[in-house]
C-alpha cells in the first residue's frame, strides 16, 4: 500500500503545458504583470515537450503587401469547410501578423529570408497565397528554443516532470482553485493553488495505431476539461496526415511524419504491386489534399494492397536524387538513421493521426465557460473547423497563448488568496491516480494495443454508424480494463504508471471522439461517414458539442454562425461574395 | 534476467542498463529480442514494457527534434531515438548508461538544470540593446553574418556535446559547447546586442576554458560545430580587446 504524500504550492497563475501556447502565455503574463507569481508545469523538460517544437512546415501569416488577412481568413474558413467559429478564425489571422513580428523582434526567432532580404514565405497546401513563414524545415525548434530561453531568464516557477491530474474548481463553486499535479520524479502529489489556470497541454490524437504527436501527449487537458464539466466542440474532427512511417509495432518511429513536401515535389505513392493509385482518386494525384490522399490510402490498405508492415510505399526514385538530397536533407538523414534510403528506395508509409481540430470551447481572449479557467492551443476547438491548414497550427498556439497570457494579466490579482479547493475532489483525484500502484500488475499494453487498433479501424479515416456504435461499447470495456489494471515498479519516475494515467485520459477522449463522430451524420473535412458521404447544406452547418454526463460522453449539435463570411448558396461553385 | 550470454546476437541483444539514483547504482542485464528497425529508444521501451516496468528513461518527440533522450551507448553519447541498436552493438551487446556530466535523477534520467543554467549564464537569449522595431528586418540570406547564425541555430539542446566535452569534466564552471554555440549565434545576429553577448562569453568559465579537443563537433547529432563557434568567439573577443571595446 502506498501512502500518498501531498505538497502544496500557491501561485497567482498556473499554466499547464509548455508548448507554443504555454510559453507565450507565461511570457505575456509575466511581462504585462511582473508582480504576478506564475508557475508553468510540463510533463518533461521545459522547451522539449509538446508539438509546437515538432513543426516542420511553418507559420501562416499575411505580411506580404500583396496578401491580406481577409484572404488568409477566407482560406482558413474554406479549408475548415465552414465549420469554424469565425470570430476565433478572424482572431487567428489578424493575431498572426502581430505575433510573427513579436517572435522575430522581441523573442529573437530568425526566420528564413528571400533573396531580397525580406522574410521568405513558401507555398503550403490549401492557400491562395504563399504565406508560410519558416526556418528551413525545423521552424518549431527555432520558435520553442527562443521562447524557452526567455522563460528560463525570468522569475517563472518551472514545474518540470510534473503532469496535471485534474482541475480543481473552487469549493464554493466560484471560480478556480488550481490543479492537482503529480511530481513524476518524486512520485509526490503537488496541489497547486491558483485562482487562474491556463489549459495549454496540447491535444494530439495519440490514441490511434498510427499517430504523429510527441510521446508525452495523451490528451490530458481534454480529459481534465471533460471531467471538470466543460464542453468540447468538433471532437470528431481528427486530422490524418497521409504519410507516416510504417515500420511495424517494434519501433516508436512508426507513425512519425514523412514530410508532405515530398509529394509536392513529385513523389509517388505505390501499392505493394508497384502501381500508382492516387490518379484513380483525384486528378491532382499525390498532390491532392490531406483528407483525399489519406482516404484513398485507407481504402487501398483495407483492400490489402499492402507491404510487409501493412503500409503503402512512397517512392522518390524517379526524381533527381540531388534535388531530393538538397531539398529534403532532414528527412533523408532521418530515414538513413532508421536504416533505409529515401532517395532511391521505397519507404513504407501509412496515413497517421496528426491533429485534433476539436477541443474546449473558448473565446478569443482565452476565457472559457468556467471563470478562472483559460484555454489555448490544441486543447481548444473552433479555430480550424473541420480541417486545419498546414501552417495554421503554430499560429493558433502562439496567437491564443499570448492572448490568454494578456487576459490573465488583466484579471489576476497578485498575492490574492486563491479560493479553497473542494477537498473531496482532491481526494478523489489522488485516490484515482494512486490506485494502480496498489493493485496487482496487469498487462497494460494489451489494453493500449486494443485501444489504438479499435480507434484506427472504427473511428479512423472512414467511419460508419454501426462501426462507431460498436466502438463506443468496446471503448467502455477497454476503459474498464485499463481502470482495473495495476502497475508494478513503484511511484518514482515510473513510465508504466505514467502510461497507465495517460491511457485513462486517452480512452476517455477516444469516447468523446466516437460520440461526436456518431452524432455527425454528414461528411466534412476530416470527418468521413461512409453511410453519410454528402457534406450537407453549408448554410445549415452545425457543430458537435460533447460533455460528460455522469461518466458517459453525450453529444449535441449547435448551429454555426457566419458573422463575417457566408457560405456559397447551394449549387454554387467556389467561395461566397 | 541476468545470467551467462548464450543467446545469439541475431535473436536477442544483451543489454546492460545502468539502474540507480543519485546515491549510486549499477548495471543490470536484460535480453531484448532483435528487430532490424529498433532504435536504442525501442530497446529501452521493450525492457520497460516487458521486463522492468519501473525503468526510468526520458524521451518526447521520437524523431530527433526535442533532445530529451540522449544516453551513453557503449561509452558514446547518442540520441536514443535516432540510433539503431544493431549497428552500435558490439558482438550483440549494449551497455547503456546515463548521460555523462549530468547528475542522475533515476536510472537513465538525468537532471538538465545545470545545462540550462549554463545557457542562462552565457546570456543565451535574444537581448537587443534598443527596443524592437515594428517591422521585420531586411537581411540578405547570403550575408556572411546571417550564414554564421544559420550554421549555429537549430541546436536541439540534447546535451550530447556537454557529455562529450572533457573540458567541462575538468572544470564544472565551464559554460560548455551548447551554451557558447548559442552565444555565437547571438553575436552574429545583427538584430541583437552583439557586444553584450561577447562579454558574457568572455567571463570566467567562458570560451577560454575550452581546450579545443573538438569532441563537441564530432558527436553533435545535428551537425552543429560548437568548437568552431568557440574559435569564432575567441577571435571576435581578441579583435574587440585590441580595439579597446570590451
Amino acid at each position: 500500500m502506498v501512502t500518498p504524500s501531498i505538497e502544496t504550492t500557491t501561485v497567482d497563475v498556473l499554466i499547464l503545458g509548455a508548448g507554443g501556447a504555454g510559453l507565450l502565455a507565461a511570457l505575456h503574463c509575466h511581462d504585462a504583470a511582473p508582480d504576478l507569481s506564475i508557475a508553468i508545469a510540463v510533463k518533461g523538460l521545459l522547451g522539449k515537450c509538446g508539438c509546437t517544437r515538432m513543426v516542420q512546415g511553418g507559420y501562416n501569416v499575411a505580411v506580404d503587401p500583396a496578401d491580406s488577412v481577409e484572404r488568409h481568413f477566407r482560406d482558413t474558413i474554406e479549408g475548415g469547410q465552414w465549420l469554424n467559429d469565425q470570430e476565433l478564425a478572424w482572431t487567428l489571422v489578424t493575431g498572426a501578423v502581430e505575433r510573427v513580428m513579436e517572435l522575430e523582434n522581441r523573442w529573437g526567432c530568425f526566420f528564413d529570408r528571400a533573396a531580397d532580404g525580406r522574410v521568405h514565405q513558401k507555398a503550403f497546401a490549401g492557400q491562395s497565397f504563399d504565406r508560410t513563414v519558416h526556418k528551413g524545415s525545423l521552424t518549431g525548434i527555432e520558435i520553442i528554443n527562443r521562447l524557452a530561453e526567455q522563460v528560463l531568464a525570468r522569475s517563472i516557477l518551472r514545474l518540470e516532470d510534473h503532469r496535471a491530474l485534474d482541475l480543481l474548481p473552487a469549493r464554493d463553486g466560484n471560480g478556480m482553485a488550481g490543479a492537482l499535479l503529480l511530481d513524476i520524479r518524486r512520485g509526490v502529489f503537488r496541489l497547486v493553488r491558483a485562482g487562474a489556470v491556463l489549459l495549454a497541454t496540447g491535444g494530439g490524437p495519440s490514441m490511434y495505431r498510427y499517430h504523429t504527436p510527441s510521446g508525452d501527449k495523451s490528451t490530458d487537458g481534454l480529459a481534465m476539461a471533460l471531467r471538470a464539466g466543460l464542453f468540447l466542440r468538433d471532437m470528431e474532427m481528427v486530422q490524418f496526415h497521409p504519410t507516416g512511417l510504417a515500420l511495424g509495432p517494434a519501433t516508436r518511429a512508426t507513425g512519425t511524419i514523412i514530410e508532405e513536401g515530398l509529394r509536392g515535389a513529385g513523389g509517388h505513392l505505390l501499392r505493394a504491386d508497384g502501381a500508382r493509385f492516387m490518379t484513380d482518386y483525384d486528378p491532382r494525384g499525390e498532390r491532392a489534399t490531406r483528407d483525399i490522399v489519406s482516404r484513398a490510402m485507407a481504402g487501398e490498405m483495407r483492400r490489402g494492397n499492402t507491404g510487409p508492415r501493412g503500409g503503402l510505399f512512397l517512392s522518390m526514385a524517379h526524381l533527381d536524387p540531388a534535388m531530393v538530397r538538397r531539398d529534403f536533407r532532414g528527412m533523408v538523414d532521418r530515414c538513413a538513421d532508421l536504416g533505409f534510403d529515401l532517395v532511391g528506395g521505397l519507404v513504407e508509409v501509412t496515413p497517421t493521426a496528426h491533429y485534433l481540430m476539436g477541443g474546449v470551447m473558448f473565446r478569443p481572449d482565452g476565457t472559457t465557460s468556467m471563470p478562472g479557467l483559460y484555454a489555448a492551443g490544441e486543447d481548444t476547438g473552433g479555430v480550424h473547423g473541420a480541417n486545419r491548414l498546414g501552417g495554421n497550427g503554430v499560429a493558433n498556439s502562439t496567437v491564443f497563448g499570448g492572448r490568454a497570457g494578456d487576459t490573465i494579466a488583466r484579471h489576476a490579482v497578485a498575492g490574492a488568496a486563491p479560493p479553497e479547493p473542494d477537498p473531496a475532489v482532491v481526494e478523489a483525484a489522488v485516490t484515482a491516480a494512486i490506485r494502480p500502484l496498489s493493485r496487482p500488475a496487469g498487462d497494460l499494453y494489451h489494453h493500449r494495443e486494443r485501444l489504438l487498433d479499435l480507434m484506427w479501424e472504427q473511428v479512423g479515416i472512414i467511419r460508419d454508424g454501426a462501426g462507431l456504435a460498436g466502438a463506443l461499447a468496446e471503448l467502455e470495456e477497454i476503459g474498464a480494463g485499463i481502470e482495473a489494471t495495476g502497475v508494478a515498479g513503484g511511484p518514482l519516475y515510473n513510465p508504466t504508471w505514467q502510461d497507465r494515467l495517460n491511457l485513462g485520459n486517452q480512452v476517455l477522449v477516444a469516447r468523446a471522439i466516437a460520440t461526436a463522430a456518431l452524432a455527425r451524420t454528414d461528411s466534412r473535412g476530416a470527418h468521413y461517414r461512409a453511410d453519410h458521404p454528402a457534406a450537407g447544406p453549408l448554410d445549415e452547418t452545425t457543430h458537435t458539442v460533447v460533455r460528460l454526463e455522469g461518466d458517459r460522453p453525450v453529444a449535441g449539435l449547435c448551429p454555426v454562425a457566419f458573422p463575417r463570411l457566408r457560405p456559397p448558396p447551394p449549387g454554387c461553385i467556389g467561395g461566397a461574395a | 534476467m541476468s545470467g551467462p550470454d548464450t543467446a545469439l546476437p541475431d535473436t536477442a541483444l544483451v543489454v546492460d542498463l545502468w539502474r540507480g539514483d543519485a546515491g549510486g547504482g549499477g548495471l543490470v542485464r536484460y535480453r531484448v529480442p532483435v528487430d532490424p528497425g529498433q532504435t536504442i529508444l525501442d530497446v529501452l521501451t521493450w525492457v520497460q514494457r516487458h521486463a522492468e516496468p519501473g525503468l526510468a528513461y526520458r524521451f518526447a518527440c521520437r524523431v530527433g527534434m526535442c533532445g530529451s533522450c540522449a544516453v551513453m551507448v557503449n561509452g558514446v553519447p547518442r540520441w536514443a531515438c535516432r540510433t539503431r541498436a544493431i549497428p552500435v552493438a558490439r558482438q550483440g551487446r549494449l551497455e547503456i548508461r546515463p548521460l555523462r556530466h549530468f547528475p542522475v535523477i533515476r536510472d537513465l534520467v538525468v537532471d538538465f538544470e545545470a545545462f540550462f543554467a549554463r545557457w542562462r549564464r552565457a546570456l543565451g537569449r535574444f537581448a537587443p540593446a534598443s527596443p524592437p522595431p515594428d517591422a521585420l528586418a531586411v537581411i540578405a540570406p547570403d550575408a556572411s553574418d546571417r550564414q554564421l547564425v544559420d550554421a549555429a541555430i537549430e541546436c536541439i539542446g540534447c546535451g550530447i556535446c556537454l557529455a562529450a566535452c572533457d573540458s567541462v569534466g575538468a572544470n564544472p564552471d565551464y559554460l560548455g559547447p551548447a551554451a557558447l554555440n548559442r552565444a555565437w549565434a547571438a553575436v552574429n545576429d545583427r538584430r541583437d546586442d552583439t557586444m553584450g553577448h561577447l562579454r558574457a562569453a568572455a567571463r570566467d568559465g567562458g570560451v577560454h576554458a575550452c581546450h579545443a579537443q573538438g569532441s563537441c563537433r564530432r558527436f553533435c547529432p545535428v551537425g552543429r560545430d560548437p568548437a568552431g563557434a568557440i574559435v569564432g568567439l575567441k577571435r571576435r573577443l581578441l579583435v574587440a580587446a585590441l580595439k579597446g571595446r570590451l
Side-chain angles (χ1 to χ4, degrees):
Chain A
M1 188 64 203
V2 185
T3 314
S5 159
I6 305 179
E7 297 175 359
T8 302
T9 302
T10 304
V11 289
D12 298 314
V13 183
L14 171 63
I15 294 169
L16 302 175
L23 293 175
L24 263 164
L27 292 170
H28 272 236
C29 190
H30 178 273
D31 288 9
D35 291 343
L36 291 175
S37 58
I38 303 171
I40 183 165
V42 52
K43 268 171 121 173
L45 297 171
L46 190 91
K48 293 179 178 292
C49 290
C51 292
T52 308
R53 190 179 177 96
M54 297 171 74
V55 168
Q56 297 184 312
Y59 195 119
N60 296 341
V61 57
V63 287
D64 190 303
D67 194 9
S68 70
V69 290
E70 287 80 7
R71 280 180 78 161
H72 186 189
F73 179 70
R74 176 181 291 275
D75 289 343
T76 300
I77 298 295
E78 287 181 350
Q81 308 268 305
W82 301 91
L83 206 63
N84 320 58
D85 177 318
Q86 294 199 354
E87 290 311 319
L88 293 174
W90 181 253
T91 307
L92 173 80
V93 299
T94 52
V97 178
E98 180 192 331
R99 195 69 78 237
V100 153
M101 207 78 81
E102 173 190 327
L103 286 169
E104 268 259 340
N105 292 339
R106 193 160 152 207
W107 312 126
C109 296
F110 208 164
F111 299 116
D112 282 352
R113 297 309 202 257
D116 65 0
R118 294 189 305 150
V119 163
H120 183 249
Q121 295 190 272
K122 66 179 182 183
F124 224 9
Q127 300 194 70
S128 61
F129 197 90
D130 297 353
R131 67 164 70 90
T132 307
V133 169
H134 63 108
K135 172 72 196 81
S137 58
L138 296 171
T139 310
I141 292 178
E142 175 66 358
I143 292 174
I144 291 295
N145 278 355
R146 300 293 79 83
L147 295 177
E149 66 197 18
Q150 294 288 344
V151 170
L152 286 175
R154 283 166 171 74
S155 55
I156 293 170
L157 176 64
R158 284 177 283 126
L159 297 173
E160 295 179 296
D161 289 326
H162 276 67
R163 69 178 299 149
L165 296 169
D166 263 312
L167 300 170
L168 300 175
R171 177 185 208 166
D172 60 7
N174 222 342
M176 286 297 293
L180 181 71
L181 273 49
L182 173 64
D183 177 343
I184 293 169
R185 285 183 199 174
R186 296 163 55 228
V188 169
F189 292 93
R190 184 177 302 282
L191 173 63
V192 180
R193 297 189 56 198
V197 177
L198 175 68
L199 198 61
T201 70
S206 51
M207 69 291 281
Y208 286 84
R209 184 198 293 159
Y210 303 108
H211 60 264
T212 67
S214 185
D216 48 296
K217 299 282 283 283
S218 53
T219 58
D220 299 337
L222 294 168
M224 288 189 290
L226 280 170
R227 287 193 293 265
L230 284 122
F231 288 78
L232 310 185
R233 64 173 281 172
D234 299 333
M235 285 308 292
E236 73 280 18
M237 297 301 173
V238 181
Q239 183 170 66
F240 290 85
H241 192 287
T243 50
L245 286 174
L247 299 177
T251 175
R252 289 196 191 260
T254 285
T256 60
I257 272 196
I258 286 289
E259 203 169 320
E260 190 143 53
L262 290 159
R263 284 180 295 118
H268 287 168
L269 289 169
L270 308 176
R271 288 196 292 249
D273 62 8
R276 281 179 79 192
F277 57 89
M278 269 316 302
T279 46
D280 301 342
Y281 294 86
D282 192 286
R284 293 166 292 182
E286 286 83 353
R287 288 178 174 147
T289 51
R290 282 180 184 175
D291 52 339
I292 291 171
V293 180
S294 294
R295 208 145 54 229
M297 292 173 73
E300 294 292 336
M301 288 163 69
R302 279 190 179 182
R303 282 189 282 282
N305 298 323
T306 53
R309 302 291 193 184
L312 300 157
F313 295 98
L314 176 71
S315 171
M316 306 297 286
H318 57 290
L319 299 168
D320 173 17
M323 178 278 287
V324 178
R325 266 189 211 100
R326 183 188 65 236
D327 293 352
F328 301 99
R329 187 173 48 87
M331 275 293 141
V332 171
D333 289 350
R334 191 188 292 179
C335 290
D337 285 351
L338 296 172
F340 48 89
D341 173 17
L342 175 63
V343 180
L346 294 172
V347 179
E348 195 164 352
V349 292
T350 169
T352 177
H354 186 44
Y355 190 90
L356 291 175
M357 271 74 75
V360 175
M361 295 185 74
F362 78 120
R363 303 183 190 95
D365 63 357
T367 54
T368 68
S369 60
M370 191 177 277
L373 181 69
Y374 305 80
E378 204 183 342
D379 274 339
T380 67
V383 177
H384 306 296
N387 184 41
R388 177 182 65 84
L389 298 180
N392 269 0
V394 63
N396 178 33
S397 60
T398 56
V399 165
F400 288 102
R403 291 178 67 91
D406 294 336
T407 304
I408 295 170
R410 285 196 305 275
H411 290 179
V413 179
E420 286 289 330
D422 185 338
V425 176
V426 176
E427 200 193 318
V430 167
T431 307
I434 209 159
R435 196 181 295 132
L437 292 178
S438 52
R439 288 197 170 158
D443 187 356
L444 184 66
Y445 295 98
H446 162 73
H447 298 296
R448 179 178 184 272
E449 294 308 313
R450 264 188 84 190
L451 170 66
L452 270 61
D453 284 350
L454 177 67
M455 290 301 285
W456 183 256
E457 298 296 341
Q458 302 299 341
V459 197
I461 299 167
I462 301 170
R463 306 160 173 177
D464 63 55
L468 289 167
L472 273 169
E474 202 176 334
L475 282 169
E476 255 186 79
E477 198 186 299
I478 294 170
I482 291 167
E483 182 57 36
T485 302
V487 164
L492 303 180
Y493 210 117
N494 178 344
T496 309
W497 185 26
Q498 299 313 313
D499 278 347
R500 162 69 178 73
L501 298 173
N502 291 341
L503 281 163
N505 289 336
Q506 287 166 304
V507 75
L508 177 61
V509 175
R511 291 168 65 201
I513 293 170
T515 302
L518 188 59
R520 178 164 212 94
T521 51
D522 63 23
S523 293
R524 285 287 177 98
H527 172 70
Y528 185 81
R529 285 280 298 260
D531 50 347
H532 297 281
L538 294 182
D539 54 354
E540 292 168 25
T541 296
T542 56
H543 70 80
T544 61
V545 177
V546 174
R547 69 184 173 82
L548 219 49
E549 214 175 79
D551 60 358
R552 185 182 296 265
V554 293
L557 294 168
C558 298
V560 173
F562 307 111
R564 292 181 178 270
L565 203 59
R566 289 205 60 80
C572 181
I573 306 294
Chain B
M1 300 303 295
S2 54
D5 173 18
T6 50
L8 296 168
D10 61 346
T11 58
L13 290 160
V14 176
V15 183
D16 292 322
L17 297 182
W18 194 90
R19 299 208 66 209
D21 55 27
L27 293 172
V28 181
R29 178 161 292 187
Y30 304 90
R31 279 167 214 289
V32 179
V34 168
D35 185 276
Q38 83 201 129
T39 62
I40 296 297
L41 176 60
D42 298 324
V43 167
L44 300 177
T45 302
W46 190 93
V47 172
Q48 176 245 322
R49 288 186 181 171
H50 297 94
E52 196 72 70
L55 175 72
Y57 61 109
R58 204 192 270 292
F59 79 102
C61 78
R62 312 181 275 154
V63 288
M65 296 178 92
C66 75
S68 295
C69 67
V71 287
M72 305 299 295
V73 183
N74 288 344
V76 176
R78 297 184 184 276
W79 47 359
C81 69
R82 288 273 293 265
T83 303
R84 276 195 307 144
I86 292 172
V88 297
R90 290 193 195 126
Q91 285 95 46
R93 289 168 185 264
L94 293 168
E95 185 183 292
I96 304 178
R97 292 174 178 270
L99 204 53
R100 198 163 76 120
H101 300 150
F102 284 75
V104 171
I105 292 174
R106 187 171 178 81
D107 298 345
L108 301 170
V109 174
V110 296
D111 191 341
F112 265 69
E113 198 56 36
F115 177 83
F116 288 121
R118 289 182 168 97
W119 198 282
R120 212 159 46 222
R121 270 165 46 221
L123 193 59
R125 66 179 180 277
F126 190 60
S130 48
D134 51 6
L136 296 171
V138 175
I139 297 168
D142 54 358
S144 59
D145 57 343
R146 170 76 221 224
Q147 296 204 329
L148 288 170
V149 175
D150 271 345
I153 57 178
E154 292 181 3
C155 161
I156 59 170
C158 62
I160 284 176
C161 57
L162 199 74
C165 175
D166 289 320
S167 302
V168 83
N171 175 9
D173 288 336
Y174 174 39
L175 293 173
L180 290 170
N181 181 68
R182 173 67 185 106
W184 178 237
V187 163
N188 287 296
D189 185 344
R190 68 175 84 165
R191 307 168 307 161
D192 208 336
D193 172 18
T194 61
M195 284 308 295
H197 287 287
L198 210 46
R199 282 187 207 104
R203 61 190 296 166
D204 283 352
V207 287
H208 301 298
C210 164
H211 299 148
Q213 288 164 320
S215 298
C216 50
R217 171 190 331 173
R218 199 155 58 246
F219 291 102
C220 175
V222 292
R224 302 300 93 178
D225 180 9
I230 292 165
V231 169
L233 286 168
K234 284 179 176 169
R235 193 179 300 130
R236 209 66 68 83
L237 276 165
L238 181 62
V239 171
L242 291 174
K243 290 184 178 170
R245 286 213 247 126
L246 274 183

